[in-house]
């Protein structure tokens, strides 16, 4: 992979017409280590966030030993990057053939569930493989209520009374049991974990069975941009969220249990930026060579403002406007699909024009993992970049990234 000090250097050297992902292994390593140091338990990276071999290998070198996986494709990706890694199969609804593959081929011994039919499925295969249920830990996934940009408890999780029943059922069969929840991605309310822990506490007391662990899932927010016209939403930084979580774990007396977290976004978001090209400017609209069917679907919900930096093409000698004047531009994606328009604008100098590049920052999470081949577009070019996105100068049109909260 070619390496450049900054994305601007890469853009001006390569003059790319296709989107280019800028990978920052040092940032990934630092963010993984920061999380591991702050969380009082095991860190299991959620592979779905970004399962590229370069990411899994870098995390492996950074000291991540445990991975949260959900499919045969993810089992294989982790095994290829780190043959002795531990995998937690935390998808509550699994195909029988995948459960068998996990137990038999990959030696996975931790799974989650939220329904008695899943217990029956797992037990059938455990018996068929002649495994001791006591060698397997089943985490009962608890429903949570909270506020996250991506609310997942609507889809998975047992209500508290049901979770009590499931814990007792699994314990009676002879499985080790644990409790887990996943509050959704990019939490927007710092009390989210507190509420989930209160519910987990209630379930633990009612179930009255020995617990082998508590898994607090993911959801830890990454840093994005914001609309410069509006007041910045107050959200505590990672250090404060972690400090509160640690205090809540102690208060609810979960701190004597083995703890696990499954962060994805907060570890990998800053590790990539994306260079896109303006294929056409039409008034206040920019048509770019990426979009919601490739790297930018995560921003489509309208909950995230991606930070953007202007990389003007030096070959363009005539420009209109004042480069210090930052304006909102509507961004249209590469495909012919009329829904392929970003729901939030990019904030850029009003001089931006056809042929210029834009570096979109903090795009490592839920971007390349969600690429499709729709309409024949499939961005797949990578360079390495050594300077963090947020270390760049604001003067270039670094328009919408919030200042670091901590
Ligand atoms: C997606 C997912 C995660 C990772 O969530 P982030 O918000 O990216 O940290 C963790 N656990 C489970 C079960 C998930 O589905």
């Amino acid at each position: 992979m070619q390496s450049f000090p900054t994305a601007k250097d890469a853009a001006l050297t390569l003059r790319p017409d296709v989107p280019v992902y800028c990978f920052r292994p040092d940032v990934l390593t630092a963010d993984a280590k920061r999380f591991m140091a702050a969380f009082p338990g095991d860190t299991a990276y959620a592979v779905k966030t970004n399962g590229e071999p370069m990411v899994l290998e870098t995390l492996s070198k950074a000291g991540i030993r445990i991975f949260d996986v959900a499919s045969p494709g993810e089992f294989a990706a982790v095994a290829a990057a780190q043959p002795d890694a531990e995998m937690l199969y935390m998808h509550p609804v699994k195909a029988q053939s995948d459960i068998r593959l996990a137990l038999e081929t990959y030696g996975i011994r931790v799974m989650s569930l939220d329904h008695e039919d899943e217990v029956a499925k797992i037990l059938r295969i455990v018996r068929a493989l002649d495994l001791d249920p006591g060698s397997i830990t089943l985490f009962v996934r608890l429903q949570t209520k909270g506020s996250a940009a991506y609310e997942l408890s609507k889809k998975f999780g047992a209500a508290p009374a049901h979770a009590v029943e499931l814990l007792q059922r699994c314990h009676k069969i002879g499985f080790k049991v644990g409790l887990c929840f996943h509050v959704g991605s990019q939490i927007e309310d710092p009390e989210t974990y507190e509420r989930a822990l209160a519910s987990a506490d209630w379930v633990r007391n009612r179930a009255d069975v020995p617990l082998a662990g508590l898994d607090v899932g993911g959801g830890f927010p990454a840093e994005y941009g914001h609309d410069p016209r509006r007041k910045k939403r107050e959200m505590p930084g990672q250090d404060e969220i972690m400090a509160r979580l640690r205090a809540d774990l102690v208060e609810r007396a979960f701190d004597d249990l083995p703890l696990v977290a499954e962060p994805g976004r907060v570890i990998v978001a800053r590790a990539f930026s994306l260079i896109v090209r303006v294929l056409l400017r039409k008034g206040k609209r920019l048509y770019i060579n990426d979009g919601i069917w490739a790297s930018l679907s995560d921003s489509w919900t309208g909950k995230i403002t991606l930070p953007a930096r202007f990389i003007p093409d030096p070959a363009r000698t005539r420009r209109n406007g004042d480069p210090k004047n930052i304006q909102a531009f509507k961004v249209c994606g590469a495909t012919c699909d009329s829904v392929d328009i970003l729901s939030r604008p990019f904030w850029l100098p009003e001089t931006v024009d056809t042929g210029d590049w834009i570096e979109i920052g903090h795009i490592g999470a839920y971007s390349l993992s969600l690429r499709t081949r729709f309409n024949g577009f499939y961005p797949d070019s990578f360079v390495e970049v050594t300077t963090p996105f947020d270390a760049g100068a604001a003067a270039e049109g670094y328009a919408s990234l919030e200042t670091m909260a901590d």
Side-chain angles (χ1 to χ4, degrees):
M1 208 187 301
Q2 275 185 281
S3 179
F4 297 90
T6 66
K8 183 180 179 182
D9 296 318
L12 298 186
T13 307
L14 303 172
R15 300 186 57 79
D17 246 353
V18 294
V20 175
Y21 298 107
C22 303
F23 178 42
R24 292 167 168 85
D26 294 346
V27 172
L28 181 57
T29 300
D31 286 355
K33 287 190 169 166
R34 181 179 178 198
F35 189 93
M36 286 189 280
F39 182 72
D42 285 332
T43 299
Y45 172 68
V47 174
K48 79 166 185 290
T49 318
N50 186 330
E52 291 296 306
M54 68 186 94
V55 169
L56 301 180
E57 283 157 21
T58 303
L59 288 175
S60 178
K61 281 190 207 125
I64 298 265
R65 296 280 164 262
I66 312 174
F67 295 83
D68 162 23
V69 290
S71 66
E74 293 185 354
F75 308 159
V78 170
Q82 195 186 125
D84 59 346
E86 186 186 345
M87 291 188 236
L88 316 180
Y89 189 6
M90 301 306 275
H91 197 314
V93 182
K94 299 169 280 300
Q96 210 154 262
S97 50
D98 294 348
I99 298 171
R100 176 181 274 272
L101 185 75
L103 290 169
E104 191 174 30
T105 307
Y106 289 96
I108 292 172
R109 290 295 177 267
V110 177
M111 296 186 200
S112 74
L113 56 88
D114 65 1
H115 194 273
E116 44 283 358
D117 287 359
E118 196 73 10
V119 181
K121 259 195 267 175
I122 294 170
L123 185 58
R124 205 173 303 138
I125 293 160
V126 166
R127 294 241 163 93
L129 295 174
D130 195 24
L131 295 171
D132 171 9
S135 67
I136 295 164
T137 306
L138 298 182
F139 278 84
V140 172
R141 171 113 164 222
L142 192 56
Q143 214 173 61
T144 55
K145 282 196 194 65
S147 139
Y150 304 87
E151 187 58 58
L152 287 183
S153 263
K154 288 188 195 110
K155 183 164 174 183
F156 296 123
H162 189 197
V164 169
E165 242 176 78
L166 288 167
L167 282 175
Q168 291 171 340
R169 178 187 293 248
C170 294
H171 172 69
K172 212 163 145 198
I173 294 169
F175 289 113
K176 285 187 277 193
V177 294
L179 264 178
C180 69
F181 53 78
H182 176 54
V183 294
S185 205
Q186 189 72 8
I187 61 156
E188 290 171 332
D189 172 1
E191 261 143 48
T192 307
Y193 291 110
E194 216 172 304
R195 278 195 297 269
L197 288 174
S199 175
D201 191 20
W202 186 91
V203 171
R204 170 177 59 179
N205 293 333
R206 287 295 171 102
D208 196 27
V209 297
L211 284 191
L214 174 76
D215 182 332
V216 302
F220 304 91
E223 193 199 337
Y224 291 105
H226 77 292
D227 182 338
R229 290 170 311 187
R230 294 195 199 140
K231 195 167 167 288
K232 183 181 148 188
R233 159 117 113 269
E234 282 313 321
M235 181 67 192
Q238 196 191 328
D239 293 342
E240 193 189 327
I241 288 176
M242 275 297 191
R244 284 177 71 161
L245 176 59
R246 283 195 302 265
D248 294 337
L249 286 164
V250 172
E251 196 189 310
R252 296 278 174 187
F254 279 118
D255 56 323
D256 57 348
L257 275 186
L259 300 172
V260 192
E262 303 164 349
R265 188 186 291 278
V266 74
I267 284 187
V268 81
R270 289 198 325 135
F272 287 81
S273 66
L274 177 70
I275 301 168
V276 297
R277 193 158 202 188
V278 180
L279 302 179
L280 192 84
R281 173 176 172 176
K282 195 188 276 184
K284 283 293 170 62
R285 280 180 176 221
L286 302 177
Y287 292 79
I288 64 168
N289 56 0
D290 202 309
I292 66 156
W293 300 108
S295 321
L296 304 174
S297 64
D298 187 45
S299 69
W300 196 49
T301 55
K303 302 272 190 149
I304 285 170
T305 297
L306 292 167
R309 174 186 283 123
F310 182 36
I311 305 175
D313 182 358
R316 174 178 283 276
T317 48
R318 287 179 48 204
R319 291 183 182 274
N320 296 318
D322 175 0
K324 289 199 181 60
N325 197 0
I326 303 294
Q327 300 251 323
F329 288 89
K330 199 175 184 72
V331 180
C332 300
T335 69
C336 304
D337 184 356
S338 58
V339 305
D340 188 5
I341 297 175
L342 299 194
S343 39
R344 296 258 183 119
F346 281 5
W347 294 89
L348 294 162
E350 65 179 359
T351 49
V352 62
D353 215 328
T354 302
D356 289 331
W357 292 276
I358 299 165
E359 182 189 14
I360 304 169
H362 299 195
I363 191 89
Y366 306 108
S367 53
L368 20 166
S369 58
L370 289 162
R371 279 172 293 176
T372 74
R373 293 184 189 276
F374 180 46
N375 228 175
F377 297 105
Y378 187 77
D380 201 30
S381 303
F382 293 84
V383 296
E384 214 174 278
V385 163
T386 49
T387 315
F389 177 81
D390 26 3
E396 289 169 33
Y398 181 3
S400 53
L401 188 71
E402 291 166 338
T403 47
M404 299 283 279
D406 50 14

